[in-house]
Amino acid sequence: MEGKLLLVLLFVASVAASGKYRPNYKPNPPPVCTYEGKTYNVGQKFPAGDDCNTCTCKSGGRVSCSKKTCFCDYNGEEYKVGQKFPADDGCNQCSCKSNGRVWCSKKACITTCKYNGQKYKVGQKFPKGDGCNTCRCKSNGSVSCTSKYCPPPSGREGSGYILLEKAEESLETGSKVASGKYRPNYRPNPPRGCTYEGKTYNVGQKFPAGDDCNTCTCKSGGRVSCSKKTCFCDYNGQKYKVGQKFPADDGCNQCTCGSNGRVWCSKKTCITTCKYNGQKYKVGQKFPKGDGCNTCRCKSNGSVSCSNKYCPPPSYN
């Protein structure tokens, strides 16, 4: 009997020495938390690293973070909650909502105008066809044309001759006025007002040019004189008002429409990817940390933000 007891004791000692887990043994929890390479005391609060949420160091080394929705993803770009930005149709406006969803206006967007059987892009200028006036395709699909008085072209028709109708033989003078002839030195009376975009204005009257910026004046002789202020900038086929700010096409920098019609954009270096454990990830992309329970996210500054929850060791059978 004593020999059997000795054998049992030797077996238990050998199992303990072999590195197997002792039943009901639990490791002492760490007294602090480690998050993104930094150490925090139990109860301490600190930023989650996404410029929005907050974390707290819990007992046992666990990190608990708030889970507020801070960003919206739209066409691969990240926008903060409440931020407004142009829709991808270049016409509607979008905003990032608190639930992380993007809401965009749904107005019908017109990109072309039709004039005399031809199509023109919004903002494009083209000849009216009378030899002196010009037209512009407006964002509402209508066409705005100047309506200056155009003198007739040079030549017989331009030197003041008018076509007379066929006349009968004159009894008083015994002469004939042949059909198709012109009377020299005849000049038509100039119009008393001006016509512009289908509307008539009196001489001296001021009215909008139709581009939401300039002003026109009706001059004598039916001429229309308009100011020529630069009102818009063109950027990647889109029109912006002078002073308006909008995102650059790199999704990172900010642009402004200058008073000279030129677009100025900031030139900060834009980061589009992050590198983590030898892998590349796009800004805003989420991916596993590699410890079986935490996740990471690629931030717009090129750094990687990972949750740092306490991960229990894998179970052993």
Side-chain angles (χ1 to χ4, degrees):
M1 185 68 182
E2 291 181 358
K4 289 183 178 181
L5 180 59
L6 180 60
L7 288 174
V8 172
L9 291 174
L10 289 173
F11 174 76
V12 173
S14 64
V15 170
S18 66
K20 298 293 184 180
Y21 286 100
R22 287 180 288 167
N24 301 322
Y25 172 80
K26 293 184 179 180
N28 292 325
V32 294
C33 304
T34 302
Y35 187 83
E36 292 191 352
K38 294 183 179 180
T39 302
Y40 301 93
N41 296 322
V42 173
Q44 187 175 354
K45 295 181 182 292
F46 49 93
D50 58 2
D51 300 323
C52 174
N53 284 289
T54 304
C55 298
T56 305
C57 177
K58 301 287 188 178
S59 60
R62 293 181 303 108
V63 173
S64 173
C65 299
S66 59
K67 296 180 180 180
K68 292 188 297 182
T69 300
C70 311
F71 300 95
C72 300
D73 184 271
Y74 183 78
N75 288 345
E77 298 296 333
E78 194 174 81
Y79 299 92
K80 291 183 178 180
V81 169
Q83 185 176 353
K84 295 183 178 181
F85 49 94
D88 54 6
D89 60 7
C91 167
N92 283 286
Q93 191 80 357
C94 300
S95 60
C96 175
K97 298 299 183 182
S98 58
N99 59 358
R101 294 184 179 180
V102 173
W103 179 90
C104 299
S105 59
K106 296 179 180 179
K107 64 181 182 181
C109 301
I110 299 172
T111 58
T112 58
C113 306
K114 198 170 183 180
Y115 185 80
N116 286 346
Q118 298 291 325
K119 283 187 177 181
Y120 300 94
K121 291 182 179 180
V122 170
Q124 185 177 353
K125 292 184 178 181
F126 51 91
K128 184 177 181 180
D130 57 4
C132 69
N133 285 288
T134 56
C135 300
R136 185 176 66 84
C137 176
K138 299 173 69 175
S139 57
N140 62 359
S142 66
V143 173
S144 168
C145 300
T146 60
S147 190
K148 298 181 291 187
Y149 171 70
C150 303
S154 59
R156 289 181 60 84
E157 293 80 6
S159 58
Y161 293 82
I162 63 170
L163 180 65
L164 295 177
E165 296 180 354
K166 185 176 180 180
E168 299 294 336
E169 184 176 343
S170 172
L171 296 176
E172 291 81 8
T173 61
S175 62
K176 292 182 179 180
V177 178
S179 65
K181 298 298 181 182
Y182 295 84
R183 286 186 293 170
N185 300 324
Y186 172 82
R187 296 188 181 276
N189 292 324
R192 296 180 179 179
C194 305
T195 302
Y196 186 83
E197 292 191 353
K199 295 182 179 180
T200 302
Y201 301 93
N202 296 323
V203 174
Q205 188 175 353
K206 294 181 183 292
F207 49 92
D211 57 3
D212 301 324
C213 174
N214 284 289
T215 304
C216 299
T217 306
C218 177
K219 302 286 187 179
S220 61
R223 293 182 302 110
V224 173
S225 175
C226 300
S227 60
K228 297 180 179 180
K229 293 187 296 181
T230 300
C231 311
F232 301 95
C233 299
D234 184 271
Y235 183 78
N236 287 345
Q238 300 299 322
K239 185 187 289 184
Y240 299 93
K241 290 184 178 181
V242 169
Q244 185 176 353
K245 295 183 178 181
F246 50 92
D249 55 7
D250 59 9
C252 167
N253 283 286
Q254 191 82 352
C255 299
T256 305
C257 174
S259 58
N260 58 356
R262 293 184 180 180
V263 173
W264 178 90
C265 299
S266 60
K267 297 180 180 179
K268 65 180 181 181
T269 303
C270 301
I271 298 172
T272 58
T273 59
C274 304
K275 198 169 182 180
Y276 184 80
N277 286 344
Q279 298 291 325
K280 282 187 177 180
Y281 301 93
K282 292 182 179 179
V283 169
Q285 186 177 351
K286 293 183 178 181
F287 51 92
K289 185 177 181 180
D291 57 4
C293 69
N294 285 288
T295 56
C296 301
R297 187 175 66 86
C298 176
K299 298 172 66 177
S300 57
N301 61 0
S303 66
V304 172
S305 169
C306 300
S307 62
N308 199 24
K309 298 181 291 186
Y310 173 69
C311 303
S315 61
Y316 291 90
N317 294 326

